Amino acid sequence: MKGALGRRLRSAAWCLSLFGFLPSAVAAGAVNAFDRTLMHPAIPLVDEDGRHVLESGRPYSVRMSCGNGNGGGCHDYDGMNHAYHFEQGRDETRDDYGARRGLPQLVGPGYFGGFNCMQGNAAAALAKKANTSEAEFGDYGAAGYVKACSTCHLGGGWEESDRGGVRYDQMPAGSVPAWDGDYYDRNGDGQVVPWDWRKSGVREADCLTCHADFSLLKKFSASGLGGNGDGTAGAQDHWGLLQDGKFVAQGFFRYANSAMFEFLNVRPDLSGGAQLLTVERAVKPGTAKPDYDLVLGDSGEPVLHWNRDAFDDSGKVRIPMRRFPGNDNCMLCHLAGAGINRINAKVKSSRRGFYGFGEEAAQTLGEDGKPVDDYKDDVHKGKSWTDDTGETRIIDNCNACHAKQYYKPAYANIDLDADHDFPKGNGDADIRNDLDYQPGPADCEYCHSTAKAPALPSGQPTLLDAHRERWKSSGFMRGYATNSYNRVVQVHFDDLACQACHNHKAVYNGKTLPMHYRYRARADGALRVIPYVPNARFFVQDRSSGRVLYRYERQSVFRLKNGGQAAIVDPASGQETGSVTVTAGQFDLPATYNDFKALKQAYDNLLKGKGYASADVRFVYAESNEYIFTHQTRPAEQAVACEECHTRRADGSINGAVAANGLMGANRVIEVARIPDARLVDEGVVELASGYHKVQADGRITETVAEVLEATDKAPDMSILKAATGRAVGGPLRKLPASEAAALAALDQDATGKLTAGWDSGLSLTFSARVGHPSVQGAALFIPGSPLNQLLLEGVRVELSSRESTAAERRKVGRLGTGTLAPDVYGLSLTRSGGSGVKNFGGGEGWIKLPYWGAATRIKGVKVVYSEDGKTWRTLARHRIVAFKAASGGAAGYVLLRLKRPVAYLAFAGKAGSKS
């Protein structure tokens, strides 16, 4: 990489073309042309009813102003709004989602319905869609989640549509059943009551949080909030206060997205700028921010004053926007701490070891000319990279690795319907696992090894050569035979991800985090050791029923006292039976053995009062998420040293064995939690969910890195949902060019040709999976993307699962004369939003690719059986076995089948083999 290349700044004149660059004074910080702030073409701002905001005085609607559906805009709002950043698992929720995984309190994989990202040991849970009573209603309804999580989540998706895909404020009156988790919520007294979505409105997708240039935020005098730089809160803080602390917190959801326009300078070419909106408020004298109350009009809603002078004569306005989000836009939510404290956005902390690609990531040199060892630095910051497209960019923000169109040529047309599903890998966020590595973000192997022009700053021809020569010159190869050098390096490449050595420092709230190591699956299914920090917590579960206590239930047994204390109150007797401390508003775990037992008894009695007669709770300590470290990369001189994992022999050579006391050794013990007494584990009051967790005599819960590596070599899951080893994979059908769909599913040229032969469309409606149990890893479904199929299968979701075959099934298939039934039986289903099944592949047939672990070496040796009802089994006609690739070298092959319709049961027979 060439650090100085492309760093010369170019001034840009104000121009009145369709897309104009901002003046050089504003764009002075930009480097890449795609990163410069542009003036969006002039558009009108209209409200939900399509009326101009200057006429209605109402908040603007993104859907109606920007969307090309019901709105008058240019963009595919619905397509963008369905991206996983907006949905956060809404489109994957189902009431039995968690129950099928032993976690019945969860209703989905994402932050909406899954484990909440905050709240520590007492994470809140979304209510199920259908609830039998108020007593079984979760912590939040959908509206409660909007109020609790809107600081980091940008509208649209779950903040706009219910779990059946209906926009909340358009649900017909009288059609909502009691306790519906989308239309009821807990009020301030904890009672479950209907939420009036028509009154609050929904929060549509907020384009500007990602696409506004935060450097253009300023306070205008008309707002009455003080000046800029006068000691009062800044414009960004006040934007957060208005949007989240006022509009959202008070239930005015439809107003949230308009908050930005009070602070965004839409005319940076003018000395005083221009303000689009002022909100009527009553400022509270003597408050530092200053704080204020919203002034409500006769309708009981906030009063907005849109500035007519900021619009042109035709009622349109040009808004400064970024094509791709800037570093500050991404980190507003992804820097843990900044998002949740958006009203004080200067707070900076990270449990994920990621501090962004802003100025803090730039390396500084010491007096010796070497980079200063700063954990916030990243060696890539400011370097240039030439993509396989031939386009060169400076690595200054997240887009360099995470944006699909960042490297398209400058002359290419703007994609008004750009796919907003950013490339993702295999992390702890289990939303849309079907998109993992489909494609993935730019990774180390691509940029430094497999790209057309790999980055090799050492000047060596390959990455292996670079490491070998550096290790030789540093003396690390001393004592090894010359012909073994390459093998020594390759062993490390085979077993370790690059991050294991180059990403190893993280600080959270001023505390250095101990680095953990585990195996993770790469795009090709191979396992590599990667650094991470576990996000572990306790949840409380009844042994007899499986019921998990909600957060409000857990907190209901506490009575606040003075001095940061709370009493444990037994619900049955009403007596105080123990105590806990309170830290930052959170109830801590009990500090003594007796208090732990008292809390268990209180929870048992709470459940018994709700009809669980045999209640017997346990505190389950589990790692809900594994935060992998893939950013803030260290340069070679600051990477993990050989001696941190290995010892030196007497002659000074490096011992190849992993040292017991090293970073990944058997003797390296890490404390992950602490309980007051080990007896709590012995007696079953506390249960350790992970086999590698052990309780010590003094109550410390510990793990050794060696045991974690041994466990994750078999089960490389990145969250408690166990997606990497799960036998069920699913996702929506995606419309892709057939060639791209085949490539993402790793079909070879011959199979691709056979797949699309006779298709009347160059498009494919596709589902494919790279992550999951080996029996489903690499599976895919292809349906011709004809206009008819697109219409018939819009919004359809695919689920493919595998399970072990039963003895009865093996006997039945044995009578067919096809040979022995393979241990893995597959099920394929298609469903619409809301759960109704789809019985066909639209207007024709579907092609399914399944992993093949059997012994057949030719397609004639492959035998497939199926059953519609699980009782009667048939042999699939041979002409429906379209393509075949044999298993080889421990890697699966595949079989491509052509089916008339989805089948409930499908399996290989004969010399089929299995990966069960």
Side-chain angles (χ1 to χ4, degrees):
M1 294 185 181
K2 298 169 282 296
L5 181 62
R7 276 198 168 275
R8 288 191 292 271
L9 305 178
R10 305 183 187 108
S11 64
W14 183 266
C15 67
L16 297 178
S17 60
L18 183 63
F19 281 84
F21 288 129
L22 288 179
S24 57
V26 176
V31 176
N32 298 314
F34 274 12
D35 293 333
R36 291 179 178 161
T37 301
L38 309 172
M39 295 306 294
H40 190 284
I43 60 170
L45 297 181
V46 300
D47 64 19
E48 292 173 352
D49 298 322
R51 295 179 62 202
H52 200 291
V53 295
L54 289 173
E55 299 174 5
S56 69
R58 301 281 288 164
Y60 96 109
S61 163
V62 179
R63 176 182 288 276
M64 298 301 290
S65 300
C66 309
N68 60 9
N70 296 328
C74 302
H75 300 281
D76 180 6
Y77 176 89
D78 284 323
M80 296 174 177
N81 190 28
H82 192 50
Y84 65 83
H85 263 80
F86 296 112
E87 294 286 17
Q88 287 299 315
R90 179 204 65 86
D91 50 344
E92 301 180 74
T93 58
R94 49 190 295 172
D95 281 356
D96 65 347
Y97 180 92
R100 296 165 68 184
R101 294 162 173 82
L103 300 163
Q105 79 276 28
L106 306 185
V107 298
Y111 290 143
F112 183 72
F115 266 114
N116 191 286
C117 56
M118 307 297 173
Q119 300 174 331
N121 282 322
L126 177 67
K128 290 179 169 59
K129 175 70 173 171
N131 298 280
T132 56
S133 67
E134 181 175 1
E136 296 302 313
F137 196 90
D139 295 300
Y140 294 133
Y145 254 87
V146 175
K147 288 187 286 185
C149 304
S150 190
T151 52
C152 278
H153 298 283
L154 310 178
W158 62 271
E159 295 185 69
E160 184 173 353
S161 299
D162 69 15
R163 281 168 256 191
V166 177
R167 182 168 158 129
Y168 295 115
D169 57 359
Q170 294 178 358
M171 175 61 71
S175 61
V176 176
W179 322 121
D180 185 315
D182 285 332
Y183 294 92
Y184 280 69
D185 192 31
R186 292 191 177 275
N187 63 17
D189 297 324
Q191 298 172 317
V192 180
V193 296
W195 181 263
D196 189 348
W197 283 103
R198 284 184 171 79
K199 180 179 178 181
S200 68
V202 302
R203 189 178 176 200
E204 296 175 343
D206 184 4
C207 309
L208 288 175
T209 296
C210 292
H211 291 281
D213 182 345
F214 288 172
S215 71
L216 298 180
L217 294 175
K218 63 176 291 184
K219 292 190 293 183
F220 293 86
S221 59
S223 297
L225 298 173
N228 296 285
D230 63 355
T232 58
Q236 185 169 331
D237 292 350
H238 267 295
W239 162 48
L241 176 62
L242 177 59
Q243 177 180 278
D244 301 309
K246 303 299 181 182
F247 286 155
V248 173
Q250 296 178 34
F252 301 119
F253 298 163
R254 62 166 55 89
Y255 284 76
N257 293 346
S258 294
M260 169 78 77
F261 284 134
E262 184 161 22
F263 305 99
L264 182 64
N265 181 6
V266 296
R267 287 299 304 272
D269 59 316
L270 302 178
S271 60
Q275 181 183 28
L276 267 177
L277 171 71
T278 55
V279 176
E280 201 163 320
R281 54 174 55 84
V283 175
K284 298 178 181 179
T287 55
K289 282 190 177 296
D291 198 5
Y292 55 86
D293 292 321
L294 295 174
V295 173
L296 304 183
D298 294 339
S299 65
E301 298 192 357
V303 178
L304 306 184
H305 299 287
W306 292 95
N307 179 14
R308 186 175 295 275
D309 292 340
F311 294 82
D312 64 21
D313 292 340
S314 62
K316 296 182 178 182
V317 62
R318 303 180 76 207
I319 301 170
M321 296 181 71
R322 298 180 184 272
R323 288 187 184 181
F324 294 87
N327 176 75
D328 289 344
N329 302 76
C330 297
M331 298 315 293
L332 186 71
C333 300
H334 285 280
L335 186 58
I340 201 67
N341 293 292
R342 174 115 158 259
I343 299 170
N344 180 16
K346 299 303 180 186
V347 175
K348 292 191 174 181
S349 186
S350 180
R351 297 163 305 181
R352 294 179 178 268
F354 180 34
Y355 309 94
F357 268 78
E359 290 307 311
E360 289 178 319
Q363 289 186 316
T364 54
L365 300 180
E367 294 181 357
D368 58 359
K370 295 181 180 180
V372 175
D373 190 359
D374 183 348
Y375 67 90
K376 292 184 180 180
D377 290 354
D378 192 297
V379 68
H380 301 101
K381 171 71 175 180
K383 304 297 196 303
S384 68
W385 167 247
T386 300
D387 185 69
D388 283 354
T389 62
E391 292 288 316
T392 299
R393 302 285 182 267
I394 303 300
I395 304 174
D396 262 346
N397 53 50
C398 309
N399 303 305
C401 297
H402 290 277
K404 291 179 181 176
Q405 299 192 35
Y406 193 59
Y407 293 94
K408 70 180 184 180
Y411 60 77
N413 289 332
I414 300 295
D415 184 355
L416 298 176
D417 301 327
D419 181 0
H420 277 49
D421 275 321
F422 306 152
K424 65 190 291 282
N426 171 25
D428 66 285
D430 281 306
I431 50 175
R432 293 300 304 276
N433 285 329
D434 61 297
L435 294 178
D436 289 1
Y437 304 120
Q438 303 249 354
D443 59 14
C444 308
E445 289 82 359
Y446 166 65
C447 293
H448 294 284
S449 184
T450 63
K452 291 180 179 178
L456 294 164
S458 67
Q460 295 294 330
T462 71
L463 203 58
L464 188 148
D465 294 323
H467 282 73
R468 183 195 63 230
E469 294 307 308
R470 181 173 184 84
W471 293 0
K472 281 171 56 181
S473 64
S474 301
F476 298 145
M477 293 294 197
R478 183 185 305 163
Y480 286 87
T482 303
N483 62 6
S484 71
Y485 288 175
N486 283 356
R487 187 171 70 253
V488 170
V489 176
Q490 190 62 51
V491 164
H492 287 78
F493 282 8
D494 289 345
D495 207 45
L496 303 176
C498 303
Q499 295 91 334
C501 294
H502 290 275
N503 301 76
H504 59 88
K505 284 194 175 181
V507 177
Y508 179 49
N509 286 343
K511 180 181 177 182
T512 299
L513 300 175
M515 199 57 61
H516 301 241
Y517 296 90
R518 68 190 292 113
Y519 280 102
R520 180 181 75 138
R522 289 166 25 102
D524 59 3
L527 301 183
R528 300 285 189 277
V529 175
I530 196 162
Y532 77 103
V533 166
N535 182 25
R537 58 185 80 188
F538 287 90
F539 60 92
V540 181
Q541 185 171 33
D542 177 26
R543 281 190 178 84
S544 59
S545 66
R547 169 79 145 74
V548 173
L549 267 66
Y550 290 115
R551 184 170 185 256
Y552 84 91
E553 292 174 316
R554 291 176 63 172
Q555 295 182 341
S556 70
V557 303
F558 298 118
R559 180 183 296 155
L560 285 171
K561 313 282 276 188
N562 294 327
Q565 298 287 317
I568 300 170
V569 179
D570 191 313
S573 66
Q575 299 297 309
E576 295 184 2
T577 57
S579 66
V580 298
T581 55
V582 182
T583 304
Q586 299 287 332
F587 297 102
D588 299 323
L589 288 170
T592 71
Y593 171 81
N594 288 334
D595 286 336
F596 236 109
K597 296 291 292 272
L599 186 57
K600 171 189 160 43
Q601 186 64 43
Y603 289 152
D604 284 344
N605 287 337
L606 183 151
L607 284 177
K608 288 175 182 177
K610 293 190 172 189
Y612 296 87
S614 302
D616 178 20
V617 305
R618 61 206 167 143
F619 295 78
V620 182
Y621 180 77
E623 295 176 0
S624 59
N625 309 82
E626 317 294 358
Y627 295 151
I628 59 172
F629 280 41
T630 56
H631 301 88
Q632 278 29 76
T633 306
R634 321 313 304 157
E637 56 266 28
Q638 294 173 7
V640 171
C642 295
E643 292 92 334
E644 294 183 67
C645 291
H646 305 276
T647 58
R648 285 192 181 272
R649 300 186 181 96
D651 63 359
S653 64
I654 297 291
N655 189 331
V658 175
N661 295 322
L663 274 179
M664 302 182 194
N667 294 341
R668 184 173 174 234
V669 178
I670 303 175
E671 179 181 334
V672 294
R674 184 181 288 265
I675 56 177
D677 198 306
R679 287 178 294 168
L680 294 168
V681 173
D682 298 336
E683 296 170 4
V685 177
V686 171
E687 179 178 304
L688 307 181
S690 297
Y692 47 76
H693 286 150
K694 304 290 189 295
V695 64
Q696 305 302 321
D698 59 359
R700 290 177 300 123
I701 298 175
T702 62
E703 64 183 42
T704 67
V705 176
E707 287 180 318
V708 174
L709 290 173
E710 181 180 2
T712 57
D713 187 31
K714 301 181 181 71
D717 296 300
M718 298 306 299
S719 83
I720 197 171
L721 297 179
K722 303 186 183 302
T725 55
R727 281 181 169 269
V729 292
L733 288 169
R734 293 195 291 158
K735 182 175 69 174
L736 298 172
S739 57
E740 180 181 349
L744 289 174
L747 290 182
D748 61 24
Q749 186 173 358
D750 177 67
T752 300
K754 292 176 178 177
L755 167 70
T756 57
W759 279 22
D760 59 357
S761 172
L763 298 174
S764 176
L765 303 179
T766 299
F767 160 78
S768 54
R770 290 283 185 89
V771 175
H773 185 272
S775 62
V776 294
Q777 195 175 109
L781 177 68
F782 311 90
I783 302 171
S786 65
L788 175 62
N789 283 347
Q790 291 183 46
L791 178 65
L792 294 175
L793 299 174
E794 183 178 2
V796 166
R797 178 179 174 82
V798 178
E799 182 162 319
L800 177 72
S801 61
S802 73
R803 60 169 175 79
E804 294 186 13
S805 58
T806 66
E809 289 171 333
R810 291 192 290 272
R811 286 194 298 271
K812 290 179 181 179
V813 170
R815 299 187 192 112
L816 297 177
T818 55
T820 304
L821 180 67
D824 294 317
V825 175
Y826 294 93
L828 175 66
S829 64
L830 277 62
T831 56
R832 298 192 185 281
S833 180
S836 60
V838 177
K839 303 299 183 183
N840 51 52
F841 295 118
E845 297 180 316
W847 283 252
I848 185 171
K849 175 202 172 196
L850 293 175
Y852 183 77
W853 296 92
T857 57
R858 297 186 303 164
I859 193 169
K860 290 183 178 180
V862 177
K863 298 177 182 179
V864 180
V865 294
Y866 70 97
S867 174
E868 303 279 7
D869 57 8
K871 299 177 182 178
T872 304
W873 286 82
R874 297 180 175 86
T875 302
L876 188 71
R878 182 159 297 281
H879 72 274
R880 293 194 169 276
I881 304 175
V882 177
F884 167 74
K885 181 179 179 181
S888 175
Y894 60 78
V895 175
L896 183 65
L897 308 173
R898 180 164 55 93
L899 304 177
K900 291 182 179 179
R901 55 188 171 274
V903 293
Y905 307 95
L906 189 69
F908 296 114
K911 299 178 180 179
S914 172
K915 201 62 176 174
S916 291

